[in-house]
Amino acid sequence: MENKKRAAIIISVLIAFLFAIDIIGFYIAVAGFLVGMITYLGERRTWVISLSVVIFMVLSYLFFEQGLKLTLPRGIIFEFYLN
Amino acid sequence: MGADVLAGIQLIAEWQNIFFIFSGVAIGIVLGAIPGLTATMGIALVIPITFYMDPVASISMLIGAYKGGLYGGSISAIMIGAPGTDSASATVLDGHALAKQGKSAKALKIAAYASVIGDFLGMAALVTMAPFIARVALRIGPGDFAMIILFSLTIIAGVSGESLTKGMLACCFGLLLGTVGIDPIIGLRRLTFGVMELDNGVSVMGLLIGLFAIPEIILQMESKITAAGRLLVKEGSPEDRRLTWRESKGCLRVILLGSGIGIGIGAIPGIGPTVSAWMAYGQSKRVSKHPEKIGHGSLEGVAAAEAGNNAACGGSLIPMLTLGVPGSISVAILMGAFIIQGIFPGPMIFKEHGPLVYAIFAGLVVSNIFLLGLALLAINTIAPYLCNAPKKILFPIILACCYIGSFAVTTKIFDVKIMLACGILGYFMQKTGFPAAPLLIGFILGPIGEQAIRQFMIIAENDLMQIIYYPVADVFILLTIGSIIGIARSEWKKSRQAANRLNA
């Protein structure tokens, strides 16, 4: 029962994350997703959480945007204001 | 052929390719060693990174990751007694017993040597046999090919796990998913429901990542995360750490036996490295000089299991490269990677992409050398940390990687949606006991088989019975019937045994 509840929460968060990427863009969405998930799994040290999130975001920026020359989704809202 | 070999070696010798193989092996070892992240998942996660590389680099890196993962699994099997990858489950018995005696470094070293020797022999079998089989296979036409595909669909029996019915249902669903998109011969839209993005079919990448990475992570996250096992920090005396020449020579017999079993088992479609590791382990008692020690901390036990699972890697590439039949789950994923690159494995690959195939063979040699170096390096440096990697942070990051990975290939959000849909589907399939591997095999083989049978129908002017004039096709029809009878008999035996147990 406990497991089912946790699974339901995790799956809902995964779906919400997908729509968040579309709306507010990858970087903001992933920061929110990672902080939320890591906290949910029981890590409480703030510096550990923030450090891993920042490292992940910097690495994915360097690898995908600089290395592979892709544009990770900016989100509908920001595309609207940027153009 | 000689020119192809030279061109292949030239291709692989570029420094970028060498670097990618190196990183593939390193990533494989790291992912394989972390309990909960399997070698299979490792390949699924590496595919998006390799998408933008040229085929040689991409395939060699993936095979490197696969091999690294097979060895990496033994690190946590030995140090904490929980296999990092399914195929290392046979390594746990003796490996962990050795670690309890303070001999974990020794066990890891013999595991590394056994893995590399097994790999090398598996690769030698691949390189010598594959071109030969492919030359024979080149003479076959679309009708024969369709029957080969039909036969290989019966291999789902091997990857179905507990219930054959559920495996067959999953395979049928995979076949159905494979038909989505524009019809290959007459160009009609099928099962797209008016969704434009589905015209090109369900994306292979989304399906791979969704089915083989997401469900596993959700399953592990839903139960409270605890350490996989206690890390044994007991350090033995220098003698316990060193692997002497005599000890390794004593293991050579079981390593050779394990490699032989691995190659044979790996080459049979449907049976993967896990089964071959257990079989090699079981048989090692027969040739061992100290059979009573096996199971209680014997180097031979570790060596046999590791040689068995790594040799299966080379063996399972034989049917994939020559006939286009994926032998195990990991190889089915590798085949997906080939298809993403626009290369269809099968007999034609040696003719159309000769230099590529020989470059991959050469890449296998290079990855072997890296595997040995990195494996020995990892033992004294990062091995203990990998076993206790912080999962609370790792799992969310891997989930985020799944999103980026499925986005990176086509840069369309739609593929991420497919990935997530497959992930949730895969989770419920696991919960209800439906295996994911048959779905993938149906999805990959379906379209290839469809194309072959429809080409044949055009040649035969819509008369299916003309297939009997093709001897190779006949052989495979008989093999298919035989294999179905065999499966039915073993299922019948199983159900009778179960009934007897209930009565007793």
Side-chain angles (χ1 to χ4, degrees):
Chain A
M1 197 57 224
E2 175 71 6
N3 277 5
K4 272 186 190 160
K5 212 175 116 191
R6 287 177 66 94
I9 292 172
I10 293 166
I11 291 175
S12 326
V13 171
L14 287 177
I15 296 171
F17 178 36
L18 176 63
F19 287 107
I21 292 178
D22 223 357
I23 297 166
I24 54 174
F26 176 77
Y27 290 100
I28 302 178
V30 84
F33 171 77
L34 285 179
V35 170
M37 269 293 176
I38 296 174
T39 322
Y40 182 64
L41 292 179
E43 177 63 63
R44 289 287 180 271
R45 286 165 295 176
T46 323
W47 68 270
V48 175
I49 299 175
S50 36
L51 194 67
S52 36
V53 172
V54 168
I55 290 175
F56 176 77
M57 283 169 66
V58 169
L59 282 183
S60 49
Y61 173 78
L62 288 180
F63 187 81
F64 287 98
E65 306 228 356
Q66 296 299 317
L68 296 181
K69 305 276 181 246
L70 293 175
T71 313
L72 293 172
R74 292 275 179 269
I76 295 167
I77 298 179
F78 293 94
E79 254 162 36
F80 182 75
Y81 281 112
L82 287 175
N83 299 327
Chain B
M1 188 186 141
D4 281 356
V5 175
L6 283 179
I9 292 171
Q10 205 172 5
L11 271 176
I12 207 73
E14 279 173 36
W15 67 268
Q16 297 101 321
N17 292 344
I18 301 283
F19 170 75
F20 289 134
I21 295 173
F22 177 83
S23 21
V25 175
I27 294 173
I29 293 180
V30 169
L31 290 179
I34 297 171
L37 304 183
T38 61
T40 313
M41 200 195 288
I43 306 176
L45 287 172
V46 173
I47 290 180
I49 305 178
T50 64
F51 180 72
Y52 287 90
M53 303 173 182
D54 60 294
V56 178
S58 131
I59 303 292
S60 327
M61 181 168 176
L62 287 168
I63 295 178
Y66 181 32
K67 285 180 171 186
L70 287 177
Y71 169 73
S74 70
I75 293 180
S76 45
I78 289 168
M79 295 190 96
I80 59 176
T85 286
D86 315 329
S87 52
S89 48
T91 313
V92 172
L93 298 174
D94 280 290
H96 197 50
L98 278 168
K100 280 182 188 156
Q101 298 164 16
K103 293 179 184 167
S104 57
K106 195 184 258 191
L108 284 168
K109 275 174 196 160
I110 195 75
Y113 288 123
S115 293
V116 170
I117 295 175
D119 246 344
F120 189 78
L121 292 174
M123 187 193 71
L126 171 71
V127 173
T128 48
M129 281 159 72
F132 179 71
I133 299 175
R135 201 174 305 161
V136 177
L138 258 182
R139 296 169 181 273
I140 63 178
D144 308 307
F145 195 59
M147 292 307 119
I148 293 177
I149 300 285
L150 185 69
F151 169 66
S152 36
L153 281 177
T154 60
I155 66 176
I156 57 158
V159 289
S160 285
E162 286 163 29
S163 160
L164 186 63
T165 324
K166 286 178 176 173
M168 275 161 66
L169 279 173
C171 179
C172 289
F173 188 65
L175 288 170
L176 185 71
L177 277 184
T179 61
V180 174
I182 290 181
D183 174 303
I185 308 278
I186 52 174
L188 270 178
R189 287 195 174 82
R190 295 187 303 199
L191 294 174
T192 57
F193 301 101
V195 181
M196 287 265 280
E197 285 96 336
L198 278 176
D199 278 359
N200 292 324
V202 177
S203 89
V204 186
M205 181 78 71
L207 191 95
L208 283 179
I209 299 179
L211 279 181
F212 293 96
I214 299 267
E216 203 52 43
I217 303 274
I218 300 181
L219 278 174
Q220 300 216 17
M221 277 172 44
E222 68 174 21
S223 48
K224 284 246 157 61
I225 289 178
T226 47
R230 223 162 50 83
L231 183 68
L232 286 167
V233 279
K234 198 161 84 179
E235 282 293 345
S237 58
E239 274 136 65
D240 283 344
R241 297 179 58 80
R242 209 170 37 231
L243 184 70
T244 64
W245 173 239
R246 266 184 67 190
E247 283 167 328
S248 9
K249 228 175 84 185
C251 289
L252 200 60
R253 279 160 69 106
V254 290
I255 292 178
L256 293 179
L257 175 85
S259 307
I261 292 175
I263 295 165
I265 295 281
I268 302 171
I271 317 178
T274 312
V275 178
S276 77
W278 279 106
M279 264 179 98
Y281 181 77
Q283 292 298 317
S284 65
K285 281 183 193 162
R286 233 179 253 179
V287 295
S288 164
K289 284 189 187 112
H290 308 281
E292 74 285 349
K293 267 192 175 171
I294 288 181
H296 308 282
S298 148
L299 284 177
E300 285 175 310
V302 176
E306 280 302 308
N309 71 29
N310 271 64
C313 165
S316 58
L317 290 174
I318 297 176
M320 195 263 263
L321 281 176
T322 55
L323 298 173
V325 175
S328 65
I329 306 169
S330 309
V331 174
I333 295 180
L334 267 182
M335 192 166 155
F338 272 91
I339 292 172
I340 291 169
Q341 292 277 358
I343 300 162
F344 286 83
M348 290 305 283
I349 198 176
F350 284 83
K351 207 173 177 184
E352 287 170 355
H353 303 281
L356 169 73
V357 175
Y358 292 104
I360 291 171
F361 287 170
L364 287 170
V365 181
V366 178
S367 64
N368 242 335
I369 299 166
F370 283 140
L371 178 62
L372 182 64
L374 285 171
L376 293 177
L377 187 73
I379 292 170
N380 289 324
T381 50
I382 53 170
Y385 300 103
L386 289 178
C387 296
N388 274 354
K391 291 185 189 169
K392 291 168 188 171
I393 294 161
L394 223 49
F395 284 166
I397 285 181
I398 289 169
L399 285 175
C401 288
C402 294
Y403 281 73
I404 307 186
S406 49
F407 176 82
V409 175
T410 52
T411 61
K412 286 196 187 89
I413 283 280
F414 187 77
D415 281 358
V416 187
K417 288 180 185 158
I418 287 186
M419 184 277 297
L420 189 59
C422 291
I424 295 170
L425 172 79
Y427 170 77
F428 285 108
M429 280 172 66
Q430 286 233 349
K431 277 276 160 177
T432 46
F434 282 93
L439 199 165
L440 176 69
I441 288 174
F443 178 77
I444 286 185
L445 289 184
I448 301 173
E450 187 200 345
Q451 190 136 16
I453 197 118
R454 291 182 65 180
Q455 280 171 353
F456 169 75
M457 291 299 263
I458 294 171
I459 298 168
E461 291 166 341
N462 287 328
D463 182 9
L464 190 60
M465 283 315 283
Q466 283 207 20
I467 199 104
I468 53 171
Y469 300 123
Y470 295 82
V472 180
D474 290 338
V475 170
F476 277 94
I477 291 174
L478 289 178
L479 279 174
T480 309
I481 296 171
S483 144
I484 291 173
I485 293 174
I487 295 163
R489 266 190 54 185
S490 72
E491 281 291 304
W492 184 68
K493 247 190 218 161
K494 234 196 281 174
S495 66
R496 227 181 41 169
Q497 274 172 357
N500 282 345
R501 220 175 295 139
L502 275 179
N503 292 336

